[in-house]
Amino acid sequence: MDNQEASEAINALSLKDSSSKPPISTSQIMNNQEASEAIDALSLKASTSDASITTSQMSVEERFKIIRSIGEECIQEDELMNLLAKKPQPVCYDGFEPSGRMHIAQGVLKALNVNKLTSAGCKVKIWIADWFAQLNNKMGGDLKKIEVVGQYLIELWKGVGMNLEGGQVEFLWSSKEINSRAHEYWPLVMDIARRNKLPRILRCCQIMGRSEQDELTAAQIFYPCMQCADIFFLKADICQLGMDQRKVNVLAREYCDDTKRKNKPIILSHHMLPGLQEGQEKMSKSDPSSSIYMEDEEADVNLKIKKAFCPPKVVEKNPCLEYIKYIVIPWLNEFKIERSAENGGDKTFKNFEELAADYENGNLHPADLKPALSKAINKILQPVRDHLKNDQKAKDLMKRVKSFKVTR
C-alpha cells in the first residue's frame, strides 16, 4: 500500500466514523483491522517531507490509532486521547544505553516505532544515556568508548531508515544536557530519591538489566532516580520504552501523585522480543546466538535463523514467529513463503493471524518458514550493510566498536 492508498483507506474510515455517530471508543479504534493495515503502511513509509497525508489532515482518532499500535500496554489510553486533542505535537521520550553492538529489536523495532510516532505528529527525543552506561559499567565505564558506540548506533538507524528528516527526531546526549542545566536536573533527582524508600528503587533495577538479587554498586542506585528525573527534565508527554522499563515509568507517575504534578507522563510500553534460543525471554548482547545484529552479514542471519528455536505447530513463545509478527510484517507489509507445489506452493501472508493459523494447524512447516524469514530479514538489513560499506564515518565507527570489549 503506498501513501495514496493509505490516504484513501483512512479517508474512507473517517467517512464511516462520521460526526453523526456516537464518539469512537478506544476499543473500537483498536479492533478496526482496516485501520490497522492502512496505518501500518502510512506510518512506516511516510516521511515529513513528502507524505501525502499530513498530521493536520488526520483526526485525533487516526493519530491515536498509530501511536497506540506501538504499545503492548498503554497507561492510560484516555489520557493519550486527551493529550492528542489538546497538543498538536506531543513530546515522546525514548532512550538507550550505548553499550555495544545493536541487535535487530533495538534497531528495526525502534526505527519502526519512531517513524510511527513522527507520522502521527510527535516530537521524539531520544536520550543517549552515556552517563547511565558509565554508571552501569558498560564499556568498562570508559566514557570515550561509550560516546563512540552512541555515534555508531545513530548511523545504524540512519542506514535502516529511521525518519530523521524535518527535525521531529532529536538525539540528546545525557552528559551534555545534564551539565548544561544541572541546576534543574540534580534537585529533581534528589527530590525523587528522598521521596522513595530504597526497596522501591531496588525494584526498578530491571531497567538496567539487573535484578534485586544482583550485587549493585552505589553508582547503580542513582540510576532509577536519574531515569525517572529524565522524563520531567525532557518535558516528556509520552514515555515510549520497552516493557522492561515499565517500573521506572510507573515510578514517575507515582511521583506526580506525591508532588501533585498535573499531566502525568503516558506510558507506552512496546513488546520485548525474545532471544532466538529456547527459553530466552529477552535478547542478550553477550550471547551472539541469541539475536541478530544490525550489521550481521547474510550468512550470519541464515545460520542464526537455521539454528533458532521454532517448534512445529507451536505459536506461543516461538521466537521465529515473533520476529515475523513484530518486525517483518510491520516493516514489509507482508511475509512471503516460497515452496514447491508439492508442499503447498508459494503463499503471501498480509497479516500475522492468518500465518499463525496456518502454522498451528501444520499447513506451514518450520523448514519453509525459516528460509523465508532469513530472506525477509536480510532484505530489511541490506540498506544497513550498504550504509556501513559506503559511508566512511559509519565504516570507521563500526571497526572501532567491534574492537571494544563488552562489559556487563
Side-chain angles (χ1 to χ4, degrees):
M1 182 184 292
D2 59 20
N3 288 344
Q4 183 60 37
E5 290 172 318
S7 176
E8 290 169 358
I10 286 180
N11 287 337
L13 289 168
S14 300
L15 290 172
K16 289 177 185 177
D17 300 322
S18 65
S19 57
S20 62
K21 294 185 179 181
I24 303 172
S25 69
T26 52
S27 61
Q28 286 174 308
I29 290 169
M30 293 310 297
N31 289 334
N32 195 319
Q33 183 62 34
E34 294 175 85
S36 177
E37 292 174 358
I39 285 160
D40 282 342
L42 166 66
S43 58
L44 178 61
K45 297 181 182 301
S47 71
T48 53
S49 59
D50 64 1
S52 61
I53 304 173
T54 64
T55 304
S56 61
Q57 292 173 301
M58 292 184 193
S59 68
V60 170
E61 289 80 11
E62 288 159 359
R63 293 171 66 208
F64 175 90
K65 292 169 192 173
I66 293 173
I67 295 170
R68 181 61 183 88
S69 70
I70 292 170
E72 181 172 294
E73 178 187 59
C74 178
I75 306 175
Q76 299 280 347
E77 288 187 347
D78 58 337
E79 293 177 17
L80 177 57
M81 285 286 286
N82 291 335
L83 172 67
L84 296 174
K86 294 176 181 177
K87 192 167 184 178
Q89 190 180 52
V91 174
C92 184
Y93 151 74
D94 196 352
F96 68 96
E97 273 189 13
S99 57
R101 297 169 69 189
M102 180 188 281
H103 54 56
I104 195 169
Q106 187 182 16
V108 177
L109 198 56
K110 191 184 293 289
L112 180 66
N113 290 344
V114 166
N115 289 358
K116 284 185 174 185
L117 290 165
T118 57
S119 75
C122 292
K123 168 83 173 184
V124 181
K125 294 183 177 181
I126 300 182
W127 194 236
I128 309 175
D130 51 352
W131 266 4
F132 294 77
Q134 187 179 40
L135 285 172
N136 209 9
N137 198 39
K138 299 301 172 68
M139 297 291 117
D142 187 326
L143 203 55
K144 289 183 179 179
K145 289 182 178 179
I146 290 167
E147 183 177 351
V148 170
V149 174
Q151 292 173 348
Y152 173 59
L153 301 189
I154 293 171
E155 290 299 320
L156 293 178
W157 282 315
K158 287 180 184 177
V160 79
M162 183 182 284
N163 178 21
L164 302 178
E165 301 297 324
Q168 283 182 273
V169 178
E170 186 177 13
F171 289 100
L172 299 168
W173 294 82
S174 68
S175 58
K176 294 181 177 63
E177 296 299 315
I178 292 169
N179 278 332
S180 68
R181 292 160 53 202
H183 62 288
E184 295 178 41
Y185 189 79
W186 292 115
L188 187 56
V189 174
M190 291 167 64
D191 194 47
I192 291 167
R194 75 179 185 84
R195 289 176 184 272
N196 288 279
K197 304 297 183 185
L198 187 57
R200 178 70 182 91
I201 298 301
L202 288 174
R203 288 198 296 273
C204 293
C205 291
Q206 178 186 3
I207 66 173
M208 298 181 283
R210 312 282 174 178
S211 73
E212 294 177 57
Q213 286 72 43
D214 285 351
E215 186 175 353
L216 302 176
T217 65
Q220 288 164 332
I221 301 299
F222 289 132
Y223 197 115
C225 298
M226 290 172 64
Q227 185 167 324
C228 183
D230 294 342
I231 296 164
F232 306 108
F233 185 66
L234 295 173
K235 297 178 172 58
D237 301 302
I238 301 170
C239 300
Q240 203 292 289
L241 297 161
M243 285 295 292
D244 62 336
Q245 306 295 301
R246 182 184 187 277
K247 288 182 180 179
V248 77
N249 292 332
V250 170
L251 182 69
R253 288 178 64 89
E254 291 173 356
Y255 179 71
C256 290
D257 290 333
D258 198 22
T259 58
K260 305 296 188 291
R261 276 179 175 253
K262 295 181 180 180
N263 303 322
K264 296 179 186 178
I266 294 156
I267 305 172
L268 194 65
S269 304
H270 66 74
H271 179 73
M272 301 294 294
L273 280 179
L276 288 172
Q277 303 305 310
E278 183 176 4
Q280 293 180 332
E281 292 185 2
K282 184 180 176 183
M283 291 183 181
S284 170
K285 289 183 180 179
S286 60
D287 179 4
S289 67
S290 167
S291 61
I292 290 167
Y293 295 111
M294 292 294 288
E295 73 273 13
D296 274 350
E297 295 295 340
E298 184 175 343
D300 298 324
V301 172
N302 294 342
L303 183 61
K304 288 180 180 182
I305 296 298
K306 184 178 180 180
K307 292 183 175 181
F309 180 63
C310 189
K313 299 184 180 182
V314 177
V315 173
E316 292 297 318
K317 297 185 178 180
N318 185 324
C320 290
L321 267 66
E322 292 225 5
Y323 268 54
I324 296 166
K325 179 179 181 179
Y326 291 100
I327 293 181
V328 175
I329 291 178
W331 194 269
L332 300 177
N333 293 315
E334 65 179 25
F335 181 65
K336 188 175 181 180
I337 295 288
E338 295 177 340
R339 57 190 173 185
S340 66
E342 293 80 9
N343 290 328
D346 295 351
K347 185 168 184 179
T348 299
F349 297 94
K350 293 293 186 180
N351 62 74
F352 180 75
E353 291 70 26
E354 183 185 0
L355 182 145
D358 264 20
Y359 193 81
E360 198 165 26
N361 63 29
N363 289 337
L364 178 58
H365 192 270
D368 296 315
L369 182 140
K370 283 188 171 186
L373 176 56
S374 296
K375 187 173 182 178
I377 290 174
N378 279 315
K379 182 177 181 180
I380 293 169
L381 294 184
Q382 191 54 48
V384 179
R385 297 175 189 135
D386 293 341
H387 183 62
L388 293 173
K389 180 181 178 181
N390 300 323
D391 186 284
Q392 191 59 48
K393 178 184 176 182
K395 186 188 297 185
D396 292 343
L397 286 168
M398 178 177 68
K399 184 177 180 180
R400 292 178 68 185
V401 169
K402 283 190 172 182
S403 72
F404 295 159
K405 180 181 179 181
V406 176
T407 59
R408 185 179 187 279

